[in-house]
Amino acid sequence: MQLHINNATQFLAEGMIEKYEPQVKAAQQALEDGTCAGNDFLGWLHLPSSITPEFIEEINKTADILRKECDAIVVAGIGGSYLGAKAVISALDDNFTWLKPSDSPRILFAGNNISEDYLTELINYLSGVRFGIINISKSGTTTETAITFRLLKKMCEDQRGKDKAREVIVAVTDARRGAARQCADKEGYKTFVIPDNVGGRFSVLTPVGLLPIACAGYDIAQLVKGAQDMECQCDINTPFAENPAAVYAATRNALYASGKKIEILVNYQPKLHFMSEWWKQLYGESEGKQHKGIFPASVDFSTDLHSMGQWIQDGERTIFETVISVDKANTSLIVPADEENLDGLNFLAGKHIDEVNHKAEEGTRMAHIDGGVPNLQITIPSLDAYNIGQLIYFFEKGCGISGLVLGVNPFDQPGVEAYKRNMFKLLGKPGY
Ligand code: PA5
């Protein structure tokens, strides 16, 4: 993975990024020393290098049981207990996996909304399907997830009988506290622990993400290896200019200070849509505090060039783009020649679709820079588990540093309680 910032620096006064170097260094040091705000939640910092082959083996073993016993696995979770697994699986899956016969169970996500229609339709689908459940909740009390688990647990027990159901229900939750822990202990489910010191949005490399990803059949050892290598690359001893997380944190803070209030994460691969959703949670929940913070937005190009492209080219100049650029497609497809050439496309005949996509990317970058939009670019060689692991750790480290430089606690989320209090009061929950 590489970060390129030259198309952003041209929008900043000379030396602006270097000006942030001391603050970035101080933030890195505070993370290492555990002296920063939110220092109870720094377990993600050296998480990749702490993951052992034995731990990966244990997760794979549980995944193998679920894969053997189930034709569908429902992952119940929301926010940090949902988006990481969804992002990685979407990035690695075939785009049309739903429509193809497969030896792998279908991985379904629920517990991330309160839609009656969604849950009814899920239950209808599952009624004839051998399914299992991974119930993911650190607090164990999140309403969306708990409602879903209550429904699915009963359905799974009705389908298989209580004893068999407990073989295909796994809980990923706190080591000691919360309703999900109590239920798992009482029922005798296999459990995995979400460490106390890892917050939800930084938990994709714990069993929260690793178990569903392994259930989908992907190589979690490679994912972790990518993250481990990025952990080394973003180490505090790496010189500033060679440390992508440090440079990213400095650049986005410099852009923010210069009036760029919105960062748009851009991809040119539909499979990366949910990486952007994961990234939005990571940065939005970490930095949006004390009435400050870059607003994280995202677009899927070239699709959204035909919708949001107008705004980005010509709208208010408060934005910058960070483009995830994948060097090479995993497959090969060439534009065919056509004798009649009625569509006028023979100028593309013989070219790879991926080449056309890259020219769209290059042309867009030039247009947006001309239009006054600073452009950061992150390149990865291809979409695979290793490179996605690199991206994950890069963004996590960049987020921790960036939030501290901004002057907020990047590891709490007090704002998300406000809606819950009102909802519970409106629903008559005891104590509200
Ligand atoms: O990042 C976070 O902390 C949140 O998004 C949580 O992950 C989310 O609210 C789900 O919480 P829990 O895992 O406790 O159900």
Side-chain angles (χ1 to χ4, degrees):
M1 193 221 83
Q2 285 189 317
L3 173 70
H4 310 270
I5 59 161
N6 46 326
N7 289 318
T9 42
Q10 57 178 287
F11 290 89
L12 293 164
E14 213 184 319
M16 266 296 271
I17 291 175
E18 292 70 22
K19 215 184 96 198
Y20 278 89
E21 190 177 337
Q23 288 177 66
V24 164
K25 192 84 189 159
Q28 285 176 286
Q29 195 64 56
L31 286 169
E32 291 299 329
D33 296 345
T35 52
C36 59
N39 56 3
D40 286 350
F41 290 97
L42 298 179
W44 59 272
L45 188 62
H46 294 298
L47 179 68
S49 55
S50 74
I51 298 174
T52 61
E54 293 72 31
F55 186 63
I56 288 179
E57 182 59 31
E58 192 195 339
I59 289 183
N60 279 331
K61 254 196 199 148
T62 302
D64 285 346
I65 295 170
L66 289 171
R67 282 171 64 80
K68 189 162 150 269
E69 297 298 326
C70 306
D71 297 318
I73 298 168
V74 184
V75 180
I78 193 168
S81 292
Y82 155 56
L83 285 163
K86 176 74 180 170
V88 175
I89 293 170
S90 304
L92 300 178
D93 257 354
D94 185 300
N95 279 301
F96 299 96
T97 192
W98 299 100
L99 302 173
K100 296 182 175 173
S102 163
D103 293 337
S104 278
R106 295 199 186 296
I107 308 297
L108 308 171
F109 290 88
N112 54 62
N113 61 59
I114 326 178
S115 162
E116 187 154 339
D117 288 347
Y118 187 94
L119 287 167
T120 306
E121 286 158 19
L122 175 67
I123 286 168
N124 289 346
Y125 169 74
L126 291 173
S127 69
V129 174
R130 289 185 324 146
F131 76 95
I133 310 166
I134 305 176
N135 186 34
I136 308 179
S137 180
K138 189 173 185 202
S139 63
T141 54
T142 301
T143 311
E144 289 87 341
T145 309
I147 292 175
T148 301
F149 183 65
R150 178 183 279 214
L151 288 163
L152 295 183
K153 174 179 183 283
K154 177 160 186 330
M155 189 178 175
C156 190
E157 289 172 352
D158 289 347
Q159 197 184 72
R160 295 180 187 249
K162 220 168 164 42
D163 281 346
K164 285 274 166 211
R166 71 170 59 94
E167 290 171 19
V168 292
I169 300 178
V170 179
V172 183
T173 188
D174 187 89
R176 292 170 298 278
R177 290 178 297 263
R181 164 55 58 188
Q182 276 175 13
C183 170
D185 287 348
K186 180 174 162 284
E187 300 286 359
Y189 299 148
K190 168 80 182 163
T191 61
F192 286 96
V193 169
I194 309 175
D196 279 349
N197 61 357
V198 180
R201 58 190 174 277
F202 288 85
S203 70
V204 53
L205 297 171
T206 74
V208 168
L210 296 180
L211 181 61
I213 295 164
C215 284
Y218 294 113
D219 188 343
I220 56 170
Q222 275 304 304
L223 185 82
V224 168
K225 175 82 174 74
Q228 286 170 341
D229 288 352
M230 188 51 66
E231 184 186 331
C232 288
Q233 207 176 320
C234 298
D235 185 79
I236 187 164
N237 296 313
T238 307
F240 175 75
E242 291 161 35
N243 184 330
V247 173
Y248 181 51
T251 308
R252 58 201 302 287
N253 271 285
L255 288 166
Y256 182 61
S258 78
K260 304 298 179 191
K261 306 289 185 194
I262 301 165
E263 177 175 9
I264 306 176
L265 194 71
V266 180
N267 70 72
Y268 284 80
Q269 298 291 339
K271 290 181 185 188
L272 287 174
H273 175 84
F274 277 95
M275 279 303 289
S276 297
E277 296 303 309
W278 170 81
W279 172 88
K280 282 194 282 192
Q281 189 211 357
L282 182 64
Y283 281 79
E285 229 171 45
S286 298
E287 292 194 321
K289 285 158 201 172
Q290 300 164 25
H291 296 173
K292 48 188 182 177
I294 293 171
F295 184 84
S298 66
V299 289
D300 301 324
F301 285 170
S302 67
T303 314
D304 291 335
L305 284 170
H306 298 257
S307 60
M308 293 304 289
Q310 172 62 38
W311 200 102
I312 295 170
Q313 188 68 47
D314 276 342
E316 193 180 73
R317 300 297 74 186
T318 46
I319 55 173
F320 66 99
E321 289 178 306
T322 299
V323 180
I324 301 180
S325 181
V326 182
D327 287 344
K328 205 169 166 347
N330 287 330
T331 54
S332 172
L333 186 64
I334 283 170
V335 180
D338 185 294
E339 250 179 47
E340 292 192 43
N341 195 27
L342 290 177
D343 53 13
L345 278 186
N346 273 354
F347 73 103
L348 296 178
K351 288 191 195 302
H352 278 273
I353 304 285
D354 202 40
E355 185 183 339
V356 181
N357 200 22
H358 274 105
K359 293 298 175 209
E361 181 179 332
E362 204 180 318
T364 305
R365 181 166 49 247
M366 286 154 59
H368 288 182
I369 291 167
D370 282 349
V373 181
N375 186 289
L376 285 81
Q377 191 193 23
I378 295 163
T379 52
I380 57 171
S382 62
L383 275 185
D384 60 25
Y386 177 85
N387 289 310
I388 297 296
Q390 290 224 317
L391 275 183
I392 287 171
Y393 189 82
F394 159 73
F395 278 132
E396 287 182 352
K397 186 76 185 268
C399 183
I401 300 172
S402 185
L404 292 175
V405 170
L406 181 68
V408 299
N409 174 356
F411 309 116
D412 66 359
Q413 55 284 328
V416 298
E417 296 308 315
Y419 97 89
K420 292 184 194 169
R421 277 193 299 275
N422 290 341
M423 177 180 75
F424 291 147
K425 196 167 178 201
L426 291 166
L427 287 166
K429 183 172 178 173
Y432 283 85

